[in-house]
Amino acid sequence: MELRVLRYFLAVTQYQNMTRAAKELLVSQPTLSKQLADLENELGTKLFIRGHRHITLTEEGQYLQSRAKEMVQLADQTTANIRKNQAISGTLSIGAGESIRMQRIMRIISNIVQDYPDIKIHLISGNGDEMEKALDHGTIDFAVFMGHRDLSNFNYLRLPEVDQWGIIMLKDDPLSNKTAITPQDLLGHPLIVSEQGLQEHRFQDWWGNLNQQMNIIATFSLPFNAQLLVENTGAYMFTFDHLLVNSHQHHLIFRSLSPKLVEPITIVWKKNTIQSKAAQLLIKRLKTTLNK
């Protein structure tokens, strides 16, 4: 598969129309149609269902779409990273969950961009599983994990900061009068819990033998929409401290857990991979701050 043809394929999936895609790509429609037909022949499968006005993807086409995006992104990033040999330039792609403890990394990135204006930053939000997958596929340079994970396949630096778990609830909730929330406080109440935290049994030791009595009504990956759900249901949301969005602060409040529950923060990158100069610079500067 040629990158050029993959770009053609992605344009068609974006516009769902061969004529418009050809116009955007500055190629003739017959040329575009032939390239995609050749791609289907090469793969031995049908990628499109061609309707009168719109084109939809087959199951195989949907799979190719996800992988083609990764391949094109990786090619573009690699090209940008090696295009200028005399100066440090290119793209730094960093995937992470939401945490106020990203401040250390963001300060370093800010300084790097000021010192090397040709470096561009690409930030991607997602849970640990998503970021590890992106790292394995080479579509990001670094992943930042919040919590304990198997790091045997990665190079990594553990940050001194930790994330602390707590509960977001309505400000007028009776439990808001407490300075910290215990497992017994939550019995019989509706709970909204991090999907990754639940899958990795982060709360098992905290609530102990009360596990079966916890009423989990919803799970989430990132906290913004979950906070809207708290506002509308009065449920209790497990999340890290300092993630309460400003627009929700009129109605919601955060309370830490008792006993305390904290998570380590680790930045990781692939082993046995030659890092770009920009990536090497980030690692070097991060190590400098950790050694102070």
Side-chain angles (χ1 to χ4, degrees):
M1 291 181 288
E2 297 182 24
L3 280 174
R4 174 177 52 81
V5 178
L6 289 180
R7 294 183 195 277
Y8 287 175
F9 169 78
L10 289 174
V12 174
T13 63
Q14 177 182 353
Y15 297 111
Q16 298 181 327
N17 181 279
M18 196 75 69
T19 301
R20 184 175 176 190
K23 182 178 180 181
E24 294 294 328
L25 292 168
L26 301 178
V27 299
S28 68
Q29 183 173 334
T31 297
L32 180 59
S33 297
K34 183 179 186 306
Q35 293 285 345
L36 295 180
D38 290 344
L39 179 60
E40 289 180 317
N41 290 333
E42 179 184 352
L43 297 175
T45 188
K46 192 173 183 180
L47 301 173
F48 300 101
I49 300 173
R50 294 164 172 80
H52 179 63
R53 292 181 178 271
H54 297 286
I55 290 176
T56 57
L57 291 173
T58 63
E59 184 175 347
E60 291 80 6
Q62 292 173 2
Y63 174 74
L64 179 60
Q65 181 185 35
S66 64
R67 300 311 300 268
K69 286 180 179 178
E70 293 176 356
M71 288 186 280
V72 169
Q73 180 182 343
L74 180 59
D76 289 343
Q77 182 172 320
T78 302
T79 300
N81 286 342
I82 65 176
R83 181 167 289 159
K84 294 183 180 179
N85 192 38
Q86 292 80 12
I88 299 180
S89 61
T91 302
L92 272 177
S93 297
I94 302 171
E98 303 295 319
S99 170
I100 191 67
R101 272 74 193 193
M102 287 290 293
Q103 282 283 15
R104 176 186 294 268
I105 296 173
M106 293 301 107
R107 284 195 295 268
I108 294 171
I109 289 174
S110 175
N111 291 333
I112 287 175
V113 170
Q114 291 179 39
D115 294 340
Y116 300 93
D118 288 333
I119 293 179
K120 306 303 178 185
I121 307 300
H122 183 41
L123 301 177
I124 304 170
S125 295
N127 63 37
D129 291 338
E130 293 168 338
M131 296 304 97
E132 183 169 345
K133 183 178 180 181
L135 197 60
D136 286 337
H137 289 169
T139 55
I140 60 175
D141 300 305
F142 298 94
V144 183
F145 295 147
M146 287 77 180
H148 296 280
R149 296 182 72 89
D150 179 10
L151 302 176
S152 59
N153 293 327
F154 304 105
N155 294 315
Y156 64 90
L157 291 171
R158 178 67 50 83
L159 305 189
E161 297 85 0
V162 295
D163 276 313
Q164 181 172 326
W165 285 101
I167 298 292
I168 285 178
M169 66 185 82
L170 292 173
K171 274 189 174 180
D172 58 2
D173 189 281
L175 289 184
S176 67
N177 295 320
K178 302 188 58 134
T179 57
I181 306 300
T182 68
Q184 290 77 12
D185 291 330
L186 299 176
L187 291 177
H189 294 296
L191 306 179
I192 304 170
V193 183
S194 158
E195 176 70 21
Q196 182 175 323
L198 199 61
Q199 290 177 349
E200 298 179 358
H201 309 290
R202 298 280 174 85
F203 314 109
Q204 189 65 51
D205 290 338
W206 184 76
W207 54 43
N209 58 10
L210 297 178
N211 178 47
Q212 297 300 321
Q213 300 180 56
M214 293 296 166
N215 178 26
I216 299 172
I217 66 167
T219 60
F220 67 93
S221 296
L222 296 175
F224 182 85
N225 288 337
Q227 291 182 28
L228 291 175
L229 189 58
V230 174
E231 289 186 11
N232 285 276
T233 65
Y236 299 80
M237 172 187 171
F238 283 78
T239 189
F240 292 146
D241 57 339
H242 299 292
L243 291 186
L244 187 56
V245 179
N246 289 338
S247 60
H248 298 157
Q249 288 183 351
H250 295 297
H251 308 289
L252 305 178
I253 195 168
F254 177 88
R255 290 290 180 261
S256 59
L257 300 182
S258 178
K260 283 187 177 181
L261 182 61
V262 298
E263 302 283 6
I265 302 173
T266 313
I267 183 168
V268 308
W269 59 98
K270 292 181 71 173
K271 285 183 176 179
N272 305 317
T273 298
I274 299 176
Q275 296 285 339
S276 68
K277 291 182 179 179
Q280 293 175 37
L281 181 62
L282 175 60
I283 295 169
K284 179 180 179 180
R285 292 198 175 187
L286 182 55
K287 285 182 177 179
T288 299
T289 69
L290 298 179
N291 291 332
K292 288 183 178 180

